[in-house]
Each structure stands twice: as C-alpha cells, then as structure tokens.
Amino acid sequence: MIRPLVLLLTVLTGFSGLVYEVTWQRYLATLLGSHSEATAAVLGLFLGGLAAGYSLFGALTRRLVARAHSHGRSAPLLIVYGAVEASIGIFALSFPALFNLVQAVSFRIPHGSAGAGFALDVALSALLVLPPAVLMGGTIPILTQALARSLDDATRFHALVYAFNTAGAFAGALAAGYWLVPSLGLVAVLVWMGGINLGAGAIFLALGALRPQPMPSPVAPSDTPTRVAGFASFAAVALLTGFAMMTLQTVLIRLGGLSFGSSQFTFSMVVAVFVLCIALGSFAVSALPRIPRSLLPAALWLLLLLLGVLYSVADTAPYWAHALRALYRDYEPGFHLFQLQAFLGVLLVLALPVALSGAVLPLMFHALRERVGDLGDVAGRLYSWNTLGSLLGALIGGYALLFWLDLHHSFRIAMAAIAFAAVLATGLTAQPVRRVASAALLLGSLLAIASLPAWRPEQLSSGPFRTRDSVPDTFSGPTAFFSSYRPGKLHFYDDDPVASVAVKAFDAAGSGNLAIISNGKSDSAIPGDIVTTTLLALIPALISEEPARSFVVGYGTGVTAGALASLADAREVLVAEISPAVIEAAPLFDFGNLGASKHPKIEILRGDAYRTLLRSQGKFDLIVSEPSNPWVTGVEMLYSREFLQAARDRLTPGGVHAQWFHSYETSDETIALVLRTHQSVFEHSSVWFTVGSDLLLIGMNDPQGSFDLARMQRRFERSDFKAGFARAQIGSFPALLAHEILPVGVLTAAGLVGEIHTLLHPVLSHWAARAFFTGAMGRLPVTAGPGPAEVGMRNSLLRRHAAAQGGQLSEPERISVVGETCRHAASSCAALLARWIVETPESPERRQLRNELARNPNIAQRLRLNDVERLLWLYDSAPEAPDVKLSPANVLRASELYAELYHHAAPFSRRALAKLWQRCESDPMQPQACALARENVEQALGDLGE
C-alpha cells in the first residue's frame, strides 16, 4: 500500500519540480534578462543543483543506512525525505520575498563592466535556485534505497520511481506553459506548488512512522563509498548520454520554433514530449521480466541509428508543420485541437529515440545493483553524472557551440557523444575481442556522422507556419513545396544561441526586398518596411524636446537607428540587440539605412534590452522599442508594465517613449491588453499608424511637446527631418499629422478596464499566440464615447493644425491628408472623405482623388468607399438622411459605423446619430425594436441624449 502512494506522490513532486523550473526562469529573467546567457545560466544552476543533490543524497542515504545497520534498526529514510519535500515547499513559498531581496541587493551593488555585473547577478541567482534544486535531487536515491524490497525488485522499483517522477514533470511542462503561469501568475503558481510539496512532505513524514524494514543487501552497508569496478565507464556513459540528449533537446526546440513558430506553446510542447518519452523508456525497463546484459549497448546503438534517420529529415520539419496547419480552420476552437495534433506528431517522431535514452539510466542501475549494497548511493552517483552531462549539454551544446557552429553541427556532436557512450557500454558487457570490433564500429560511426550533409538553411528559414491556408504544393511533399514556396535568394544564415537568422532577397512588385528573418519570421525589410522603421524614429524625435540621446530596442535592418543618427541634434544612439547573428548581418543593410552599422554616433550593445536599459547610465531623450511580435518567446517582456516603467524612469523630462505594435495576426483583446498596459504607465499617450496594420504607441512624461505644433512644423521643415520623412514617403506636415489615430489623453479618457500585462503575471504571449493561430485583424478599442471623443476633438493634432489655418484644411492639404490615410490606413479613410464632402460639397480634386484610389487594386479592396454615403448621416451639417423609414437594422448599422470608423480628426456628431434613432422610434410600427436596439448601442457609446 505504501509504494503505490509513494509513486503517486512522486508524480506530484515531479509536476511541481518542472513548474518551478519554468517559474524561476521567468522570475530570473527580470534580473538576468531573457537573452541566451541568462537562459543558459538559470538552466545551468538548476541542473547543477540537481547533480549536486543526487550525489549529496546518495551519500547521505549510504551513511544513514550504515548507521542504522550498526545500531540494528531501520534507517529513517522516509522521514528524511518528508523533511526534504517540506523544505522545498517552504522555500517555494518564500521565493517571492527572497527574490525581491536579491533584486534589491543587485540594484544597490555597482556592477562595473557588463560581464562582471552579469556574473554577480548569476551568483545572486544561485542563492535562489541552488538550495531547492539540491533538495530535489533527493527523490531517486532516497526512495530507491527506502522502498526496494530485494535486489531483483530494485531495478523495477527504481525505474518506476524515475518514470513516475518524470511523468509528473511531463504534466508540469504542459500545465506551466498552457495554463498555470498565464492563468495564475508567478506568485500564485509558487503558492500552489509549495502547497503540493508541503503536503507531500507531511505524508512522507507520516509514512516514515511505519518504519519499513530495510532491503537486504548483498554486502554489509558501509559508511564510506563502495569502490565499484568499472564505475568510471558507467559514469562516462551517463555523462555522455546526458550531454547528448540535452543538446538535442535544445536543437529540437529551435527546430520546433522554425516549424511551428517560436511561441511558448512550441517550447512547452517539445519539452513535454522529451520528458514524456524519457518516462516511457523508464516504464519499459520496469516492465521487462528479464534484462539481458547486452540490452544497454543495444539501446545506445539503436538510439544512434534512429538519430541518424531523424537528422536526415530534420530540415523538412517546416513543411510537415505547414501541411498539418493547413488542415485546420482559422478559428479559435481549433487551436487546442491543432496543438494536440502537433504534440502527437512530435511524439510520433521522437518517441522511440528519446524513450531509448530514458531507459539508459535504469539499465545502468540494473547492471550495478548487484555490485554494491548502497543502492541509493549508486543511484545518486549515476544520476549526478547524468545531470552533470545535461548541464554541459545546456551550457556547451545548447549555447556556447552556437556562437561558432550551426544547429546541424550541434546535432552531429550529440550523435558523436552517443557513439562514444555506446562503445563504452559495449566494452562493459562484451568480451575483449568484441571490444576491437566496437572500436571499429565507433570509427565507422564517427566517419558516417561527419559525412552527413548540412541542413538546408533555405528550408529552415522558410517560415511557412504563417501560411494558414494550403498552397498549390502544400500536400505534394517537401521537395515540391520548398521549390515553389517563397524561395528568395539567401544572402546570410547563422544559428546563434538566441535565434536562427537569415537574410533573404525577395522580389516584390519588381523591386528587390531584402528582409531579415528570425526563427522563420520576417521581422523587417528594406524597402518593404522602411516607412514603418523610419517613422518609429522620426515621429517621437519630432515630438521630443531634444532628440540628442536615444536608446533603441532591436537593431533589425538598422533603419531606425540610422534615421535617429542622421538628425543634426543627435549625439548618441545606443542599440540593444540580443542576437549575435543580427549584428553580424548588419552591414548587409547599410545600403538602405544610411550606413548605420558603421555610423560613429551608433553603438550596438549585444544583450537583453530590459537588462541593458536597467544598467544604462544617464537619461535618454528617446527610447524606441521595435521588437518582434509578442507571441515570440521572450518578447513579451518588452511590453510589460515593468519594462515600460523602466523606460519612463530613464526618460528626460521632455523625453518620449515609442513602442511598435501591430493589428495583424492578433485580436481585439490582445490590442486592448497592450494599450491598457502602456496607458497604465504613460498617462500621456497617443497612438499613430505607420503603414497599414503597424501601430506606434507614444508615451510622454510631459505632453506639452506634442501640442507645440509650431515647433513640430519647424522641425519638419528642417533639412535633416525633411530628408528622413521623404524616405518615409511623407511630403507634407498635414500628411504626417494624418498618422495620428488616438490623440493624447483619449486612452485615459476611455478608461479601459481589464488585465495588465506584468512580469509577475505574464499573459500577453499566451493571448498573442492564440490570436496568431487565427491570423485575424485586431481592432483598436472603441473611443467614440462622450469622454474620449471630447478629448480627441480637443487634442487632435490635425484638427489643431486646421484651426490654425482658419478652421479648415486647404484643398491641397486635404488631398495630402486623405491620400496618405487611404494609402496606408484604409479603415480611417472613409471618415476623412465624408468630412471633406460635408465641409466642401463640390470638390473636383476630391472626385479625382477618389477615382484614382478606386482604380488602384491594392487600395480599392481595402477601402470603405461604399460606407462614405452612409457616414454623411452622422454629421450635423450634412444633408438629411433619405426621407424613408429607417429600420432598426439600418440605424444599427449606422451606429456600428459610428463606433468602428470614428476618427478624432473628423469626429461624427452624437446629435446626428441621436436624430437617426429618434426617427426610427417615431415609426409607430417598430418603436419597441428601435428602443431595444438603441439601448444596446448606448452601452458602447454612452447616452445619446434627446
């Protein structure tokens, strides 16, 4: 009865252990950053602690058993283990307070150089991670020693402990990534997991009172380590296997990102498959009625063979993920079904090879169990060496090697490690004559591994996960698909520790378009994104008091940094770039970014933007953040309230923070979350568009600069600014002002209610990844209510400019404003056209512009020209609505257009909308229907009055 309960508890503790790892990683990212060094450091600390714990508790069990044996009683192993689990729970509950203390110490200690400062923070992080990680290392050695009934039973029970504990870790990997962290937040997760460990500790303490009899040993227990012949070879096999499988896990996580998109769901899925397969391998060993000596080397040689097969098809993974995605429709209920299917697909591919690796440790334990009496000690030593190998795999195979080598090199190095392990295992079980044969087999294996062809970077960087529908060759196989799908011309490719980065040239509308592609996703291009990346620099520079010192998040194609450095007022532009490969590729874009990679005013700092900003010296006039999409792992930190607060605190009094965002491949809820979080830090904020669905969030400490139109116009006319705006295809000051969507104060007046994205409750990447699956266009929140509408009318820069010109824009200015808006933000075009008709009923210039826009196929399909006539009803000075009965459906549609197309530079009249409803309600045939529909409208727009 005790053993089934113990195995159930090991599932729970394995679950909490993996959740702790995920939670600590997110916590420590706020101290160390989210770059590859930080990830490697946290994983290294966790694995190092486990390795030390296995060794420490293996030795402890040996001493406890020897001491108890000398006194003729049972060793209190379950009581000790209960105290270990309870201690983990107490530490988890204390972790938030301990982290705040460590973070405060870090901020108070001068860090000096970047390397020394990072080393100091890693040392501080060790105080948080090592103690509980060491304690977690007690599970396998203590329980193996405490509850194995005999030598024949020892292998089976040891394998079951390993399998059940790992199965719990599998569930923890899925739960942490898909539900626990986004739903509960980091603090609540630690509270719940701490409760699990405290409960498990209490139960183990109670079980310890039963005083189970010690397991018979082939030799008397000893207080000193038993010397085992050949143990060094066993340790080497354990270390090499751990190194190889951790390296392979890192490579396969990257391949998963290149295939499915590098979201947190992809990471959780690959880790969960790995952990589950390891558990399955251990379960298989526990079920074997007989274990021949040759099974260990056979498992390793078969593992090597399967890895060779996997290597040969790995670079086609993006195709198979695309083919699977094309089977699912773009609606949210299909998200979980797709994730399940993807999980099963990855499981099918990895089940046998990873399960074989999971069988290695129990098989080695079986081979050693008859040679020593201290089963807990030998188990602890084996797992310590294996975990040390995993530590080396995380630090070397999954991180350091990628500074010089690509993913396929790391994969082959891992295969070579398995080959060496297989030879050593063969030598442990075979006759000397067979050892000569195994050496020849090793040489042949290494030669075969070295001769494997490199993976094709064109395929790895193709990024078909963004193509949700099938294309002509979706189901024709990888060869046909890759020959036709966005082939482009590869100019650069590198797998660095952070990302797989490619530079490709695509032909777009007859002109070359050089794009930088990170983990299969295009992040910027010249000239394709040059309007957006230029305006990211120039709009905040135009508003700021003095754009002398700037901080830019992400180098990309270098256009933003180059545009800032080109300004006469600029003295220094610091750029935080996390990817070494992006920095290496930077010169390729100098043709279109004013030579940014070699510009004397620009300094590129390699590192995580949050940590770099926190450790920066002095204040900045501009902080411009242009990261990737927030569904990408690690990027969500740059949208968090904590990062925004750090940016605000490092701005000069007249400084400006600019944040890129997007409305494509997202949802209304995700956009609202980003806006709420931004507005919670920057009370004075505005929203602009750059091109199409690219948005620019502006935050200011002092909003007066954004209202000084005279200063802004003088700057616009300066040669440096004028040249920059010309590169962004903006030729007039009114055309620039047309890019403002939500004027300063509108978001505050709108009073957006809902969750805030913080580092302690990170929800953005979860919401964004689900929205990315559907690929829909998100919409800005409705700001047509009386409060935000009043603020928008007062603060709209375009309306203020018109007021300075006598109340209305001139016809040339209108052409400039409407043309700019219709070309780049079609959804805002209809309201401006309607306002133009109201204020100037007869305008040949307008008719000519409208005809030109209608003839442009790229613009016409996005415009709302059919809605313009209906929008005229929403202005007081416009002609009356047609003298016909207005049905509730017609007036409701007019109300929807009022909310959807409301433009603060061309505001609709609430009084005009109220008149439409009054006319509807005056119809004796439908007063109740109109009244009910009006109530629904007023819930969104406020009371319309009489």
Side-chain angles (χ1 to χ4, degrees), residues 899-922:
E900 182 182 354
L901 301 181
Y902 189 90
H903 197 300
H904 292 280
F908 302 134
S909 167
R910 297 178 65 81
R911 184 168 55 187
L913 181 61
K915 286 182 178 179
L916 292 179
W917 283 108
Q918 290 170 10
R919 286 185 56 186
C920 180
E921 292 169 342
S922 66

Side-chain angles (χ1 to χ4, degrees), residues 360-373:
V360 168
L361 286 177
L363 289 175
M364 285 196 291
F365 175 84
H366 175 77
L368 286 169
R369 81 196 198 290
E370 294 182 353
R371 307 186 189 188
V372 296

Side-chain angles (χ1 to χ4, degrees), residues 542-543 688 703-717 733-734 736-738 740 794-805 809:
L542 198 73
I543 295 173
W688 300 57
Q704 295 308 310
S706 68
F707 297 145
D708 193 343
L709 282 175
R711 186 182 73 184
M712 291 174 63
Q713 188 162 11
R714 287 194 302 271
R715 278 189 181 168
F716 182 90
E717 297 298 334
F733 187 59
L736 171 64
L737 299 184
E740 184 186 54
R794 182 172 66 249
N795 293 346
S796 166
L797 295 180
L798 192 58
R799 285 179 59 82
R800 290 163 62 88
H801 176 76
Q805 309 302 313
L809 298 174

Side-chain angles (χ1 to χ4, degrees), residues 168 206 245 268 321 535 571 592 696 702 751 812 837 847:
M245 297 315 294
S268 298
L535 292 182
R571 296 196 308 269
L696 177 59
D702 179 7
I837 293 172
R847 286 194 295 271

Side-chain angles (χ1 to χ4, degrees), residues 211-275:
R211 301 175 63 84
Q213 293 300 311
M215 189 209 71
S217 300
V219 297
S222 172
D223 195 40
T224 59
T226 304
R227 295 183 62 86
V228 182
F231 183 81
S233 295
F234 282 101
V237 171
L239 184 141
L240 289 167
T241 305
F243 170 85
M245 297 315 294
M246 180 56 70
T247 300
L248 288 172
Q249 178 176 298
T250 302
V251 172
L252 292 173
I253 287 173
R254 181 74 63 82
L255 282 177
L258 290 165
S259 304
F260 295 100
S262 54
S263 71
Q264 67 177 44
F265 296 123
T266 300
F267 175 85
S268 298
M269 176 177 64
V270 176
V271 171
V273 166
F274 246 80
V275 176

Side-chain angles (χ1 to χ4, degrees), residues 16-79:
S16 66
L18 204 290
V19 174
Y20 285 139
E21 182 182 354
V22 173
T23 306
W24 294 338
Q25 171 64 50
R26 292 193 175 233
Y27 251 110
L28 292 174
T30 65
L31 180 65
L32 301 176
S34 61
H35 50 92
S36 54
E37 289 90 341
T39 302
V42 175
L43 186 57
L45 290 174
F46 184 76
L47 292 173
L50 279 178
Y54 287 135
S55 179
L56 173 66
F57 283 103
L60 178 63
T61 58
R62 182 190 68 246
R63 293 190 180 98
L64 289 174
V65 170
R67 187 174 303 171
H69 180 79
S70 66
H71 291 83
R73 61 172 184 264
S74 299
L77 295 178
L78 291 182
I79 293 177

Side-chain angles (χ1 to χ4, degrees), residues 593-606:
N593 61 22
L594 306 177
S597 72
K598 301 177 181 65
H599 201 290
K601 294 181 182 179
I602 297 174
E603 181 182 0
I604 304 176
L605 306 173
R606 197 190 80 76

